Amino acid sequence: MVGFNAVVNGDMVFDRAVEVLGTAERAAEWMGCKDSQLGVKPDELVKTDDGMAQVLHCLRRIELGQPV
């Protein structure tokens, strides 16, 4: 069972992904695909606080145009 905080955190990260990637469709695709820097799907990582921080950091690097 996924806790309430995990759902809220996942929604927050998804909203941030939409901001960075431009559309909900692109964000959903990115969240569901294994990311080379993260090593796993971002939507799997957001289930923990540490994982959520990793995903947000990755999104920030994408936003700044830095290598990921």
Side-chain angles (χ1 to χ4, degrees):
M1 183 171 129
V2 176
F4 175 75
N5 287 338
V7 172
V8 170
N9 291 342
D11 288 347
M12 181 197 71
V13 173
F14 181 78
D15 290 345
R16 180 70 177 123
V18 172
E19 288 176 16
V20 172
L21 301 171
T23 68
E25 292 80 17
R26 290 177 72 188
E29 183 178 338
W30 183 79
M31 293 289 291
C33 290
K34 183 177 176 182
D35 183 271
S36 59
Q37 180 184 6
L38 298 171
V40 297
K41 295 177 183 180
D43 63 2
E44 291 294 319
L45 277 178
V46 298
K47 296 176 182 176
T48 67
D49 289 341
D50 184 51
M52 183 177 67
Q54 291 177 43
V55 172
L56 290 172
H57 179 73
C58 186
L59 284 168
R60 181 66 175 151
R61 292 180 63 90
I62 291 169
E63 181 178 44
L64 296 174
Q66 298 176 348
V68 273

